[in-house]
Amino acid sequence: MAFKEGLLRLNVHLHPSYIGNIKAGVEEQLNQMLLKYTEEMDGVLLSYWNLKYRNRHARIINETPYLHFHIQTQVLTFAPTPGLRLVGSINKAGSHHLGLLVYKVFNASIDAEHIKSDFKFDETTDSWRNKRTGETLKLGQEVRFEVTKVHRSEGLLSISGSLMSKDAGPISTAGQHTSEISAPDSVTKKRKRSVDMSQTTVPIDTPSKKIKKYKQEEEEEEVEDAVPIDIEEPTSTKKKHKKAKKSSGK
């Protein structure tokens, strides 16, 4: 399963300039995490929604002015694992390897030793060709491959793959790919901050009833002072307050 939906819990350290607009400050921090690999989620953050505060008050620790509090939000991550089948578009073809883009975002590489022996590199066309079947591996060609290794470094994620399995190889434009389905409406409707992947299809396995929780370690720190977080009340609650004020005024 390449895409995972889960619950992310974070300990936020917010600059005091956001004290008048806590939500904007939190969303700015989350937006900086988009399309980056993070250990807490063991994947690349693609989307988040349903942001909630886990504290009613922020904390100021010792002499630092930063506001400390906990949040949680639903997230969608890209977290491929070895053995998974993915589809990528070839953006580089050489005698030593193939370069691919997965969902037009993530880089993948297939070494020549992991390409079936039936394929031979043709220097005149800069492509790999199977003389027996006539299939080619060329620029722009979509290829189904098996993930062999996932590399993670400094917020970046890249994939090593193989074309040695039976179901791996170039995909015919007329072929149907049963492992690719569009993202469920229940997920797309909820996304408030997300990467635009509307032009691609997303292979998502049947959602599990159990939602994975990503939790950042919460360190116990000495509290010197507390600052209230200005959280906007739900519309229904505001209406009740207005009615109560009107009735008291009478």
Side-chain angles (χ1 to χ4, degrees):
M1 182 168 61
F3 291 82
K4 296 180 181 179
E5 182 180 337
L7 182 66
L8 174 66
R9 292 177 177 175
L10 286 176
N11 186 5
V12 176
H13 309 287
L14 198 64
H15 192 276
S17 62
Y18 289 104
I19 197 169
N21 194 343
I22 298 294
K23 184 180 179 182
V26 173
E27 288 183 344
E28 182 175 320
Q29 288 195 16
L30 289 172
N31 289 343
Q32 291 174 358
M33 296 171 63
L34 289 172
L35 282 183
K36 292 182 180 178
Y37 172 82
T38 57
E39 292 184 1
E40 291 82 11
M41 296 176 287
D42 191 25
V44 177
L45 180 63
L46 299 178
S47 173
Y48 67 88
W49 66 95
N50 197 22
L51 173 64
K52 293 182 180 179
Y53 302 100
R54 298 180 60 210
N55 308 95
R56 294 187 64 184
H57 296 83
R59 298 180 299 171
I60 294 179
I61 310 299
N62 298 324
E63 72 279 359
T64 62
Y66 284 82
L67 309 178
H68 303 262
F69 55 94
H70 304 296
I71 66 166
Q72 68 179 41
T73 179
Q74 295 293 124
V75 295
L76 179 69
T77 61
F78 177 68
T81 55
L84 184 71
R85 268 45 171 191
L86 290 175
V87 174
S89 178
I90 298 176
N91 63 354
K92 184 176 182 180
S95 58
H96 299 292
H97 78 286
L98 288 173
L100 303 95
L101 270 183
V102 180
Y103 303 117
K104 301 181 181 180
V105 176
F106 306 103
N107 289 308
S109 177
I110 301 175
D111 292 336
E113 61 185 23
H114 291 135
I115 299 175
K116 294 174 183 176
S117 59
D118 291 341
F119 285 89
K120 303 297 181 183
F121 185 71
D122 185 350
E123 293 184 355
T124 59
T125 60
D126 286 334
S127 64
W128 290 76
R129 183 175 177 81
N130 187 327
K131 292 184 178 180
R132 182 174 59 84
T133 63
E135 294 178 311
T136 59
L137 299 171
K138 58 184 179 180
L139 293 180
Q141 172 70 51
E142 284 197 334
V143 176
R144 187 191 306 280
F145 66 96
E146 178 183 355
V147 177
T148 57
K149 191 173 182 180
V150 180
H151 308 274
R152 311 166 182 87
S153 177
E154 298 182 356
L156 300 177
L157 181 147
S158 61
I159 303 166
S160 291
S162 170
L163 294 177
M164 302 301 288
S165 59
K166 290 183 179 180
D167 59 346
I171 296 175
S172 170
T173 54
Q176 294 183 356
H177 322 309
T178 55
S179 66
E180 291 188 18
I181 57 175
S182 298
D185 292 339
S186 59
V187 175
T188 55
K189 288 180 180 178
K190 291 178 182 177
R191 296 178 191 169
K192 291 186 177 180
R193 296 289 185 274
S194 63
V195 179
D196 183 9
M197 299 181 71
S198 59
Q199 301 302 315
T200 64
T201 52
V202 181
I204 299 179
D205 291 349
T206 304
S208 171
K209 291 183 179 179
K210 295 182 179 179
I211 297 178
K212 185 174 181 180
K213 292 184 178 180
Y214 307 101
K215 185 176 181 181
Q216 187 184 58
E217 292 296 327
E218 300 172 2
E219 299 179 358
E220 292 295 329
E221 299 171 295
E222 183 182 354
V223 178
E224 290 290 326
D225 197 0
V227 178
I229 297 176
D230 184 15
I231 303 177
E232 213 175 9
E233 295 180 347
T235 306
S236 58
T237 308
K238 288 183 176 180
K239 289 181 179 179
K240 289 180 181 179
H241 288 334
K242 287 182 180 180
K243 289 182 179 178
K245 287 181 180 180
K246 287 182 180 180
S247 59
S248 61
K250 289 179 180 179

